[in-house]
């Protein structure tokens, strides 16, 4: 049976499942600079984002059968090079979608009522009175328009929650012809079609804008896009930090165009700009979209299934 190195940790149920299938599993966390020497003794490696599997390491391991990434992004793996060498590269793109969508919803609700500010500033009866006054006229999300940029796995999950909250949801995704959300409850199924809009139209009607695309090579939201938006819009980003020009976002907040922003991802992680970190009107989380017990368990079990299928196909 194959010997597998789990180098960035894995939920224990995934490790147990691999062992029960007969694989030999080491959860050793070998430092990056020792991998060239030690990885050749394994048939496969499971990583998250910390361990880098670059061409040099791939060349050092001519018998490596697979590289598995628990999660979505594979920036830490030279995927094409590994595949050219006949190494299977596995990831788990769907396992964390619900968790990321829930975090986007949490930022939307938090921003809607200024919770990120009250949590920090409600300290005594004077702040109680002044915060109560400041936040007396914020809004419900019901009946507001949510503009989703990108309608893949996470966008769809957020659309489900937003529709359940009676929001109007519109979509921009040039690679999807008919955006549909499927609900299933008590054995009944319901499909809801959503309107597709052009970017400019979405900007002009949205109360909330949430980005769910990969990094598309340049920021999606810059000064000119902020200028097209409604006054007081709320911006949510759980996708990739580079999708928003942060300096233009800060200007749009200062100008009152953007009322609040909710961010899980940043242009330069973990060296987040101090202007972003300290900004009162930005609700922040430290890139934890996929970091739930449920997502990590689904990631581990999906990896086990894919590794086992690959082993049995050889
Ligand atoms: P997905 O591949 O399922 O969906 C992405 C969608 O974006 C696709 O439907 C695609 O057609 C669309 N798209 C591509 N280019 C576009 C463009 N220029 N304009 C509009 N739409 C475009 O991906 P997903 O699983 O939904 O993930 C979305 C994002 O979330 C990715 O950037 C991913 O890295 C990020 N993510 C973040 C976390 C986190 O912890 N915050 C966790 C997982 C994923």
């Amino acid at each position: 049976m194959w010997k597998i190195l789990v180098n960035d940790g894995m939920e224990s149920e995934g490790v147990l499942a691999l062992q029960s299938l007969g694989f030999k599993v080491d959860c050793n966390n070998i430092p990056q600079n020792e991998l060239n020497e030690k990885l050749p003794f394994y048939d496969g490696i499971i990583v998250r984002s910390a361990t880098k599997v670059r061409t040099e390491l791939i060349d050092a391991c001519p018998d490596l059968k697979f590289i598995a990434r628990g999660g979505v992004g594979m920036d830490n793996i030279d995927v094409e090079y590994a595949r050219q060498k006949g190494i299977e590269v596995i990831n788990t793109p769907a396992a964390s979608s619900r968790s990321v969508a829930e975090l986007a919803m949490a930022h939307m609700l938090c921003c809607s009522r200024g919770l990120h500010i009250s949590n920090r500033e409600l300290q005594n009866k004077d702040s109680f009175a002044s915060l109560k006054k400041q936040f007396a006229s914020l809004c419900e999300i019901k009946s507001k328009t949510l503009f989703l940029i990108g309608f893949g796995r996470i966008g769809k999950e957020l659309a489900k929650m937003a529709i359940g909250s009676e929001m109007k949801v519109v979509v921009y995704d040039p690679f999807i012809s008919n955006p549909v959300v499927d609900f299933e409850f008590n054995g009944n199924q319901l499909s809801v079609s959503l309107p597709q809009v052009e970017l400019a139209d979405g900007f002009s009607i949205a109360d909330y804008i949430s980005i769910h695309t990969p990094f598309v090579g340049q920021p999606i939201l810059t000064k000119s896009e902020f200028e097209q938006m409604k006054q007081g819009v709320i911006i949510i980003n759980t996708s990739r930090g580079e999708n928003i020009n942060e300096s233009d976002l800060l200007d749009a907040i200062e100008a009152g165009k953007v009322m609040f922003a909710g961010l899980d991802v940043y242009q330069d992680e973990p060296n987040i700009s101090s202007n972003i970190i300290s900004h009162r009107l930005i609700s922040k989380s430290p890139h934890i979209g996929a970091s739930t017990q449920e997502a990590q368990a689904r990631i581990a079990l999906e990896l086990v299934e894919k590794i086992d299928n690959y082993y049995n196909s050889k």
Side-chain angles (χ1 to χ4, degrees):
M1 276 304 257
W2 285 347
K3 193 173 168 195
I4 299 172
L5 175 65
V6 176
N7 215 43
D8 296 333
M10 186 186 200
E11 286 292 294
S12 54
E13 53 201 287
V15 175
L16 290 173
L18 282 172
Q19 287 168 335
S20 71
L21 289 164
F23 294 103
K24 297 189 184 83
V25 186
D26 273 351
C27 299
N28 276 344
N29 193 260
I30 297 174
Q32 187 74 46
N33 61 2
E34 294 175 22
L35 278 173
N36 277 16
E37 189 191 323
K38 296 188 175 160
L39 188 58
F41 295 101
Y42 295 87
D43 298 289
I45 181 169
I46 300 177
V47 300
R48 286 180 172 148
S49 56
T51 300
K52 314 283 178 249
V53 190
R54 300 283 174 223
T55 52
E56 193 197 332
L57 178 57
I58 293 168
D59 284 340
C61 306
D63 296 326
L64 197 68
K65 318 276 188 314
F66 72 85
I67 302 163
R69 155 74 160 109
V72 189
M74 299 215 276
D75 302 354
N76 53 324
I77 301 170
D78 282 335
V79 176
E80 285 317 311
Y81 190 73
R83 288 189 172 136
Q84 278 167 25
K85 297 271 168 180
I87 299 170
E88 183 77 356
V89 183
I90 294 165
N91 71 343
T92 57
S96 59
S97 307
R98 176 70 193 198
S99 297
V100 183
E102 286 194 9
L103 185 72
M105 191 63 168
H107 276 295
M108 277 170 59
L109 288 168
C110 183
C111 287
S112 298
R113 306 302 291 271
L115 294 185
H116 51 302
I117 299 176
S118 319
N119 276 328
R120 226 172 352 190
E121 297 181 9
L122 183 51
Q123 287 167 5
N124 51 42
K125 69 179 166 50
D126 294 336
S127 53
F128 184 96
S130 86
L131 286 165
K132 188 172 166 68
K133 200 169 166 196
Q134 272 181 61
F135 294 142
S137 58
L138 291 180
C139 294
E140 296 179 350
I141 60 171
K142 180 179 171 180
S143 303
K144 304 300 180 302
T145 299
L146 168 63
F147 180 27
L148 294 175
I149 303 181
F151 194 67
R153 290 171 288 257
I154 299 170
K156 276 198 187 84
E157 285 295 328
L158 181 57
K160 274 189 192 174
M161 281 183 269
I163 293 167
S165 302
E166 299 179 68
M167 297 186 83
K168 296 172 200 154
V169 182
V170 298
V171 172
Y172 171 76
D173 188 325
F175 304 101
I176 297 223
S177 52
N178 178 25
V180 174
V181 181
D182 295 314
F183 291 91
E184 200 176 323
F185 49 93
N186 295 340
N188 298 308
Q189 288 182 336
L190 173 69
S191 291
V192 177
S193 287
L194 297 176
Q196 280 257 44
V197 293
E198 290 303 323
L199 271 178
D201 296 328
F203 293 144
S204 69
I205 58 173
D207 302 296
Y208 298 78
I209 297 175
S210 191
I211 308 180
H212 301 287
T213 66
F215 175 51
V216 296
Q218 55 189 25
I220 296 174
L221 301 187
T222 66
K223 185 172 189 283
S224 69
E225 286 76 30
F226 288 118
E227 282 169 359
Q228 298 168 54
M229 294 175 193
K230 272 169 65 169
Q231 197 73 10
V233 65
I234 290 175
I235 304 290
I236 308 294
N237 190 15
T238 57
S239 65
R240 292 282 298 267
E242 303 93 320
N243 280 334
I244 297 185
N245 180 315
E246 284 178 357
S247 144
D248 292 347
L249 172 66
L250 288 166
D251 289 346
I253 293 174
E254 289 312 313
K257 179 64 109 172
V258 171
M259 178 161 56
F260 293 123
L263 304 179
D264 187 46
V265 289
Y266 307 88
Q267 261 177 12
D268 186 13
E269 293 180 19
N271 307 310
I272 310 172
S273 134
S274 57
N275 292 334
I276 294 277
I277 289 195
S278 61
H279 207 293
R280 184 173 187 266
L281 302 181
I282 302 179
S283 165
K284 290 152 289 238
S285 51
H287 204 149
I288 51 160
S291 307
T292 62
Q293 291 172 17
E294 292 83 356
Q296 293 307 312
R298 280 195 295 267
I299 284 170
L301 295 178
E302 196 178 324
L303 280 183
V304 174
E305 191 184 342
K306 287 183 169 173
I307 291 167
D308 192 42
N309 286 345
Y310 183 57
Y311 176 80
N312 288 321
S313 73
K314 297 300 285 175

